[in-house]
Amino acid sequence: MSRWLVKRILRASGIHSRYRIPWNWKVGTRLYSKGSFKKTYRQEAFKVLIQEVYRNSKFYREHLEKYNLKNVRTPADLGDFFTYPAQLENHPEDFICQKPDIYFETSGSSGRPKKIGLTREDFLLLAFTTAHGLKKMGVKKNDLFLNAYSYGIWVPGLILQNALEMLGVPVVPVGHQKPEVIFEKIVDYRPTIVGILPSSLIVITKLAERYKKELPKIRWFQTGAQHIPSKTKEWIKTVWGANVVNGYGATEFGGTFAIECYEGKGYHFNDLLFWVEILNPDQDGYGELVVTTLAFRCMPLIRYRIGDITRFVNDRCDCPFRTAKIDYILGRKDDMFKAAGNNLYPGYFSKAVVEGVFLGVEIDTKEEIDRIKIRVTEGSKVDLKRLDTFILDTIEKDELIVETKFESPNSHTGRKIPEVIDLRSWD
Ligand SMILES: [Zn+2]
């Protein structure tokens, strides 16, 4: 982490004056790489944050009144206090601590879109951390970045744009377009890095396979929002000679929240900006992801239950990111559904997708038996034998039918598609 960024983070979180470390760069890096620095930093940042939200936000004042905030050192000290997407959806203004300079919206994959305000500082901080991540990945000034993310109210396009400007990397701001248009721009401008949604990436790779002339030498594709199986990454690599680096994000956390480990061991998240908890973990460590945003000033979220199910990953890795990791998302808590007497998540079925993009599941019944259709993009390969044993057992016992359903990728909105479509009638 570079000096200006650490300084920036400390300043944005308002604790640089309180947290007395001898501030020169050598000491700074040494401290940063020490786990104890992170621990102290996070606790200090959290204490400051709690006081601040109590002072400035109507929502937090009402809800935190019963706590003696002097004794609150970690998010867990707040016991049963959490924030929920519905609260943010209904009264976003009550969360505001400082005047927003810019608004973004969530994709509204579950319910109405939520408004997220950021101060100029928040926005710059996100761009700075994105820039830092890109630098770690090896982005250089002589790269050309084709940005095919939406530049609208959906966060990633603008943040990426600003991050690249900070790095002095030239950009082709294509925005979210039909895959055919993106492909045309790629062969025309010959970028070295392309930011793109996985479903569009599949389509442009098919176009690339049929393309007669020489393809541009792309170093990697920066993707997000949907999981990409490793076989698909291999296929993309054979066609383009380029790697795929995937991110996991949420607008509530300012866009890209975590980036895929180069060794495929889950996602690295920024543990200086976010305090992550896993709520009610099961025997395998899977539980609900709960995130506290430590550095945002406009609409800080404390113990926000976004509803995704994951777990911590402690495996060591040698990739450029050195931060803590969470596993691939098993599904959303709201996406849990019952079929054949089991509590299931879409993530269980995504495991069967060998090639292509998993879009979700559709559930109906066939002759009284629950039927799950695994929705994938056209041309995907699905191998049901890769499903977990308990699902295979249920199929074996004729209690569940599992099929594959091919769909053309949603290429127009760039927004998330609901992962669970339940067509069963309950009356
Ligand atoms: Zn890693």
Side-chain angles (χ1 to χ4, degrees):
M1 183 170 273
S2 56
R3 180 186 181 178
W4 50 268
L5 183 62
V6 177
K7 271 194 160 177
R8 187 82 207 184
I9 289 175
L10 291 173
R11 198 180 311 139
S13 30
I15 65 161
H16 63 298
S17 53
R18 291 169 193 242
Y19 188 60
R20 264 177 272 137
I21 48 168
W23 196 254
N24 66 50
W25 175 229
K26 272 186 190 159
V27 178
T29 26
R30 211 163 55 229
L31 281 173
Y32 177 76
S33 56
K34 269 192 181 169
S36 59
F37 167 70
K38 279 188 194 175
K39 203 175 150 205
T40 323
Y41 164 81
R42 295 198 310 164
Q43 287 190 0
E44 288 294 319
F46 184 70
K47 279 197 294 198
V48 174
L49 179 71
I50 281 287
Q51 303 290 342
E52 228 177 77
V53 295
Y54 187 77
R55 252 196 328 268
N56 300 319
S57 137
K58 184 171 169 243
F59 172 85
Y60 288 114
R61 206 163 34 247
E62 280 170 13
H63 287 81
L64 293 175
E65 221 158 34
K66 60 175 178 173
Y67 296 93
N68 181 356
L69 295 182
K70 283 209 173 69
N71 297 332
V72 173
R73 290 197 172 85
T74 71
D77 291 341
L78 289 171
D80 59 359
F81 172 78
F82 295 99
T83 47
Y84 295 89
Q87 294 167 327
L88 201 55
E89 201 173 298
N90 298 330
H91 298 287
E93 65 285 355
D94 291 352
F95 280 82
I96 289 177
C97 293
Q98 275 186 33
K99 186 178 84 59
D101 291 313
I102 189 164
Y103 280 103
F104 290 103
E105 263 183 20
T106 62
S107 58
S109 59
S110 47
R112 267 189 300 150
K114 289 174 271 298
K115 293 189 187 78
I116 307 294
L118 297 174
T119 63
R120 186 74 194 140
E121 282 264 287
D122 294 341
F123 182 86
L124 283 175
L125 179 70
L126 284 166
F128 269 117
T129 47
T130 305
H132 171 68
L134 289 168
K135 216 172 162 186
K136 274 222 171 276
M137 291 160 69
V139 174
K140 295 200 173 59
K141 280 189 179 151
N142 55 7
D143 274 311
L144 178 62
F145 197 108
L146 188 137
N147 189 359
Y149 280 107
S150 157
Y151 273 73
I153 200 155
W154 209 45
V155 70
L158 273 180
I159 297 275
L160 252 180
Q161 174 69 35
N162 277 266
L164 293 161
E165 277 174 26
M166 284 171 186
L167 293 168
V169 176
V171 187
V172 187
V174 171
H176 188 76
Q177 305 257 15
K178 286 186 178 169
E180 292 75 17
V181 178
I182 299 172
F183 182 74
E184 234 169 66
K185 299 294 174 203
I186 288 175
V187 292
D188 189 11
Y189 284 88
R190 312 192 78 77
T192 53
I193 307 165
V194 175
I196 189 168
L197 282 172
S199 46
S200 306
L201 177 55
I202 302 288
V203 183
I204 65 157
T205 305
K206 282 183 186 151
L207 294 172
E209 269 183 326
R210 294 197 295 269
Y211 191 65
K212 295 280 181 289
K213 291 179 219 156
E214 202 194 336
L215 287 166
K217 289 188 175 53
I218 292 169
R219 294 169 62 206
W220 76 83
F221 290 100
Q222 185 86 35
T223 63
Q226 294 144 337
H227 178 64
I228 307 177
S230 51
K231 271 275 170 75
T232 307
K233 286 185 185 164
E234 282 166 30
W235 168 63
I236 293 164
K237 181 143 195 173
T238 23
V239 177
W240 293 96
N243 290 319
V244 178
V245 184
N246 207 3
Y248 160 69
T251 311
E252 291 96 317
F253 312 142
T256 306
F257 160 71
I259 198 126
E260 197 173 4
C261 173
Y262 275 29
E263 294 177 15
K265 293 173 177 166
Y267 292 102
H268 287 274
F269 61 90
N270 188 328
D271 40 9
L272 283 180
L273 294 189
F274 305 103
W275 192 315
V276 172
E277 299 169 85
I278 300 289
L279 199 65
N280 307 323
D282 65 11
Q283 69 277 14
D284 296 324
Y286 280 110
E288 199 183 329
L289 176 69
V290 178
V291 177
T292 298
T293 62
L294 289 173
F296 296 156
R297 283 293 160 267
C298 180
M299 287 171 77
L301 293 175
I302 293 176
R303 306 195 89 198
Y304 185 69
R305 291 173 73 163
I306 188 156
D308 282 342
I309 305 293
T310 184
R311 60 178 171 188
F312 285 119
V313 177
N314 295 317
D315 296 1
R316 268 191 61 89
C317 63
D318 286 314
C319 81
F321 311 110
R322 285 275 170 268
T323 62
K325 295 189 284 281
I326 50 167
D327 211 336
Y328 296 105
I329 307 297
L330 204 52
R332 293 192 91 104
K333 197 171 129 250
D334 298 346
D335 282 347
M336 195 194 81
F337 59 92
K338 276 194 186 285
N342 290 303
N343 286 341
L344 300 172
Y345 289 103
Y348 288 123
F349 297 91
S350 69
K351 291 179 186 168
V353 183
V354 188
E355 261 180 64
V357 173
F358 171 75
L359 298 171
V361 292
E362 188 181 288
I363 313 140
D364 61 2
T365 50
K366 190 185 174 190
E367 290 158 10
E368 309 293 306
I369 298 171
D370 287 323
R371 172 169 63 179
I372 292 167
K373 292 179 187 161
I374 303 176
R375 295 161 46 226
V376 288
T377 48
E378 277 153 15
S380 298
K381 273 197 195 131
V382 178
D383 180 5
L384 296 184
K385 289 194 200 81
R386 290 162 61 112
L387 291 170
D388 285 350
T389 337
F390 82 94
I391 298 174
L392 290 173
D393 284 350
T394 328
I395 297 172
E396 180 77 11
K397 282 188 229 145
D398 292 329
E399 288 167 354
L400 186 71
I401 303 166
V402 179
E403 292 171 358
T404 308
K405 186 181 179 194
F406 296 100
E407 289 178 12
S408 67
N410 182 348
S411 57
H412 302 289
T413 60
R415 301 200 151 193
K416 285 187 202 160
I417 311 153
E419 283 216 331
V420 177
I421 300 170
D422 200 335
L423 302 172
R424 292 173 294 186
S425 59
W426 295 102
D427 41 49

